[in-house]
């Protein structure tokens, strides 16, 4: 093997050691996994809050909101699973403990909410938090050339922006 071929082989090995199993830079992948775990925490608290709204809603809009909240928590449950699986795809472990979620989530546990207006206001505040965090992840994913995370965040943002419009319309905002 010539010195030139040896040097090229060594460069490739060095590059390979700095990438994960799907070819992403490990440092950037670590940053993404950390932010995705933060997103997972926020989604998990948002999910549980929405379950609480679904269970405890009262009043004249009960039937309408009871169904809307069920649709929302089912969607959040799917996203929780997809985010956790994306973290695994990046070569990391998804967090699963609620004790950690409550410490790292910007969304906090709701108290008993049976008023539909208050529940929808809380949902809108949670969407704002989630969308801002997903935009941050989108930027990190673009920097890492991580098209998988990029596509996931783009899809989530587009859908959630429409949800914000719909929930805001319910409040006449």
């Amino acid at each position: 093997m010539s010195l030139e071929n040896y040097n090229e082989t060594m460069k490739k090995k060095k590059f390979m050691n700095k990438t994960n199993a799907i070819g992403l830079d490990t440092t950037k992948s670590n940053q993404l996994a950390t932010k995705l775990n933060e997103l997972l925490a926020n989604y998990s608290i948002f999910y549980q809050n929405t379950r609480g709204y679904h269970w405890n809603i009262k009043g004249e809009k009960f039937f309408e909101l009871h169904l809307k909240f069920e649709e929302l928590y089912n969607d959040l449950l799917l996203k929780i699973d997809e985010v956790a699986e994306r973290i695994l795809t990046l070569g990391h472990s998804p967090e699963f403990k609620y004790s950690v979620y409550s410490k790292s989530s910007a969304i906090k546990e709701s108290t008993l909410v049976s008023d539909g207006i208050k529940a929808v206001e809380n949902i809108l505040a949670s969407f704002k938090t989630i969308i801002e965090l997903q935009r941050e992840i989108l930027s990190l994913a673009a920097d890492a050339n991580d098209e998988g995370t990029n596509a996931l965040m783009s899809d989530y943002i587009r859908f959630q922006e429409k949800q914000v419009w719909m929930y805001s319309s319910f409040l006449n905002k």
Side-chain angles (χ1 to χ4, degrees), residues 16-34:
M16 294 295 286
N17 290 338
K18 292 184 178 185
T19 60
N20 64 11
I22 58 173
L24 297 176
D25 178 274
T26 54
T27 301
K28 292 177 180 181
S29 180
N30 290 344
Q31 292 171 333
L32 275 166
T34 298

Side-chain angles (χ1 to χ4, degrees), residues 83-96:
V83 170
E85 288 175 353
R86 188 64 197 166
I87 293 166
L88 288 162
T89 301
L90 292 171
H92 298 273
S93 295
E95 186 53 63
F96 62 92

Side-chain angles (χ1 to χ4, degrees), residues 34-159:
T34 298
K35 278 295 177 188
L36 286 167
N37 263 315
E38 185 181 333
L39 181 63
L40 185 60
N42 279 278
Y43 266 128
S44 296
I45 301 295
F46 188 14
Y47 166 82
Q48 197 59 39
N49 286 345
T50 305
R51 293 291 306 235
Y53 306 148
H54 170 79
W55 292 328
N56 294 294
I57 192 71
K58 292 182 180 7
E60 76 176 73
K61 299 289 184 185
F62 169 81
F63 290 106
E64 179 181 354
L65 290 175
H66 186 73
L67 290 174
K68 278 315 272 183
F69 297 159
E70 184 174 5
E71 286 174 19
L72 178 56
Y73 73 66
N74 283 331
D75 179 66
L76 292 168
L77 186 59
L78 289 173
K79 285 178 172 57
I80 288 167
D81 193 53
E82 289 173 342
V83 170
E85 288 175 353
R86 188 64 197 166
I87 293 166
L88 288 162
T89 301
L90 292 171
H92 298 273
S93 295
E95 186 53 63
F96 62 92
K97 295 184 282 307
Y98 264 90
S99 59
V100 173
Y101 290 164
S102 37
K103 289 177 188 169
S104 61
S105 176
I107 298 170
K108 298 304 173 195
E109 291 177 349
S110 288
T111 56
L112 177 64
V113 174
S114 59
D115 176 77
I117 301 299
K118 180 69 174 159
V120 171
E121 288 171 348
N122 289 350
I123 286 168
L124 285 168
S126 295
F127 271 133
K128 185 175 193 287
T129 298
I130 293 281
I131 291 170
E132 288 173 352
L133 182 53
Q134 289 169 161
R135 285 194 177 113
E136 193 177 334
I137 292 168
L138 194 60
S139 179
L140 289 171
D143 182 53
N145 289 325
D146 179 1
E147 186 56 35
T149 301
N150 187 346
L152 202 60
M153 294 301 107
S154 292
D155 289 347
Y156 289 0
I157 291 168
R158 184 179 60 250
F159 176 77

